Structures are given as structure tokens and as C-alpha cells.
Amino acid sequence: MQVSDFAVPYHAGTGPVGVLFCHGFTGSPWSLLEWAKYTQAAGHRVAVPRLPGHGTSWQEMNLTGWQDWYSCVEREFLSLRGQCEQVFVTGLSMGGALALRLAERYRDDVAGLVLVNPAVMGYFNTNFAPFLSKCMTSAKAVGSDLKDPDADEHAYDRTPLKAAASMLRMWVDVRACLDLVSCPLLVYRSAVDHVVPAASTAFIMSHVSSEERSERILLNSYHVATMDHDKQTIFEGCAEFIAEHRR
């Protein structure tokens, strides 16, 4: 199936530091592209993969599951690890859960995490996905929660329920092993988020083992903050975080 122009993966840059960007559920690399280019301009190698089932159609996404999405980011991570001295991982929304799972399984290899409105629980209209998916194929969309009227995430206009049910199973897996996350952690959370509750970030912050963990509140953005009014704050803060933790 043809991939949207907004969903093309992005790989660029050189240098000893690699940064992996993990996009969110029903989204695409588009939501992280500007952040990745900013990071590349700071002198780092960047990778923004397209998760399977994303950037095509929600019907195709229903044929994929969390193991497919995780395998994708794991391959990209291992590729960066083979090219760079250090690898940092970032994630938006569900991409935050994927990033955390990498940090749980590669404890000595993830140099740090920068997460934006990470989801390990509670997309407000997907909690019943395991039940609804037995009789429905899709539900109301969860994407493009943006305060900036000129921004567009180009996410799916429907939520694929079989895929959503799979995401909920991944959250259970990730939450159970959060104590294995020990790398430095920086989390950005929007004060107003119509998709993921603040309890998701609170759970992460209270269950990881990272000695260094910081939460910063974004006052002028909704869920897709990487494309919203506070995006520059995220870009600059991430660059500073990487600079502070480079070997």
C-alpha cells in the first residue's frame, strides 16, 4: 500500500551520537520531523522510522500489532548503536512506551530518554478497544490534538481498534518492567492533553529507577506538543539534555 508523503522515514546526519525518534499511535514520522532536523543540525545522526501500519491506512494498521512496532524501533536502535558511540531515544505518546521498552531491554546501551506526553495507560477513547474490536473495526480518531490551528499531524481519521487493543497489551508489558529503566530521563507533559492523562507520566516517574529524572510542563500545547506552540522548548531542551550526557 502506498505510503503518504507525510510518512516517509527520515535518516540523516553523522557523528558519534545517534538519536532515535519514535512516533505515536496512528501518527507518522511527520510529527517528529522538525525535531529530528533540529537535532541533526546540532551535529547528531538521527533516525525517524515509520512504524508498520502507519502512514498508509487505518485498515492496514489493524493488520499490525505492538510487536511489529517495537521490532521496527529495535532494528533502528541496533543500527544506530552499530554506527555511534552513544544512542539517545525519544518518543511521542505511544512512541514513549516503545522508547521505554528499549531502555528496559538495553539498559547499558540507551544513553538517555526524552519523552513527550508518553502513553503507558489511558488513551481516553481506547480503553474499551479489546471489547469493541470484537464487533467494530474502528472508532473516533485520537490524533491531531493540537492547540496551534495551523499545525496538522496528518494522523488517521479513525482509530483502528484491533491495533489499539494490541497497544493496550504493550502498555501492560512496559509498565511491568519500568523499574529496569535506569538511564537519565526527561519528560515533557502538556498541562492540557485531550488524549493521554497526566497519570501516565506520573506512573512512569514513580516506577523507573533512573536517579536522574525530570518532568517539565508545557503550558501552551496539547498532546502533539512536538508540532505545537512549545515545540522549540522541546527541541532546545533535548539538545541541552544530550549535551549534558555526552561522554
Side-chain angles (χ1 to χ4, degrees), residues 152-195:
D152 188 350
E153 187 186 8
H154 295 287
Y156 288 152
D157 59 2
R158 299 289 293 174
T159 296
L161 287 174
K162 287 184 179 179
S166 181
M167 176 178 64
L168 267 63
R169 292 192 291 271
M170 176 180 68
W171 287 347
V172 173
D173 178 271
V174 171
R175 290 198 304 265
C177 299
L178 280 175
D179 62 303
L180 297 178
V181 177
S182 57
C183 63
L185 171 64
L186 171 60
V187 179
Y188 286 95
R189 180 176 65 81
S190 296
V192 178
D193 186 333
H194 303 100
V195 181

Side-chain angles (χ1 to χ4, degrees), residues 56-76:
T56 52
S57 71
W58 65 261
Q59 292 91 339
E60 184 185 42
M61 189 174 171
N62 257 340
L63 302 177
T64 68
W66 76 262
Q67 293 93 341
D68 302 307
W69 313 327
Y70 176 73
S71 293
C72 173
V73 299
E74 184 179 49
R75 286 193 300 271
E76 294 282 348

Side-chain angles (χ1 to χ4, degrees), residues 3-244:
V3 175
S4 164
D5 292 340
F6 297 103
V8 177
Y10 183 75
H11 299 82
T14 59
V17 173
V19 186
L20 172 61
F21 293 81
C22 307
H23 70 74
F25 184 76
T26 75
S28 74
W30 180 253
S31 61
L32 302 173
L33 185 58
E34 190 174 355
W35 184 6
K37 288 183 175 181
Y38 182 97
T39 304
Q40 174 197 351
H44 307 312
R45 186 186 300 270
V46 300
V48 194
R50 177 185 68 89
L51 301 180
H54 292 72
T56 52
S57 71
W58 65 261
Q59 292 91 339
E60 184 185 42
M61 189 174 171
N62 257 340
L63 302 177
T64 68
W66 76 262
Q67 293 93 341
D68 302 307
W69 313 327
Y70 176 73
S71 293
C72 173
V73 299
E74 184 179 49
R75 286 193 300 271
E76 294 282 348
F77 173 78
L78 293 175
S79 177
L80 283 174
R81 190 181 67 170
Q83 301 173 76
C84 303
E85 297 174 7
Q86 281 183 293
V87 180
F88 293 81
V89 185
T90 79
L92 167 66
S93 194
M94 182 192 75
L98 295 170
L100 287 163
R101 196 170 197 272
L102 281 172
E104 291 170 355
R105 281 147 181 78
Y106 295 93
R107 299 184 65 186
D108 297 329
D109 297 316
V110 174
L113 292 172
V114 181
L115 310 180
V116 180
N117 293 320
V120 297
M121 61 174 66
Y123 276 15
F124 291 132
N125 66 344
T126 59
N127 290 330
F128 299 103
F131 309 100
L132 294 176
S133 63
K134 299 182 187 302
C135 58
M136 299 170 56
T137 56
S138 68
K140 182 180 177 181
V142 297
S144 297
D145 183 36
L146 289 149
K147 188 173 184 178
D148 183 353
D150 296 322
D152 188 350
E153 187 186 8
H154 295 287
Y156 288 152
D157 59 2
R158 299 289 293 174
T159 296
L161 287 174
K162 287 184 179 179
S166 181
M167 176 178 64
L168 267 63
R169 292 192 291 271
M170 176 180 68
W171 287 347
V172 173
D173 178 271
V174 171
R175 290 198 304 265
C177 299
L178 280 175
D179 62 303
L180 297 178
V181 177
S182 57
C183 63
L185 171 64
L186 171 60
V187 179
Y188 286 95
R189 180 176 65 81
S190 296
V192 178
D193 186 333
H194 303 100
V195 181
V196 174
S200 182
T201 292
F203 190 92
I204 293 167
M205 300 300 280
S206 63
H207 285 77
V208 297
S209 298
S210 305
E211 291 187 7
E212 181 183 334
R213 66 190 93 164
S214 176
E215 177 184 3
R216 300 179 186 176
I217 307 301
L218 304 172
L219 299 177
N220 200 28
S221 297
Y222 294 158
H223 183 62
V224 192
T226 54
M227 301 183 71
D228 219 328
H229 295 302
D230 294 307
K231 62 185 181 182
Q232 199 67 22
T233 296
I234 297 170
F235 302 169
E236 294 173 359
C238 177
E240 293 170 0
F241 178 83
I242 293 172
E244 290 171 1

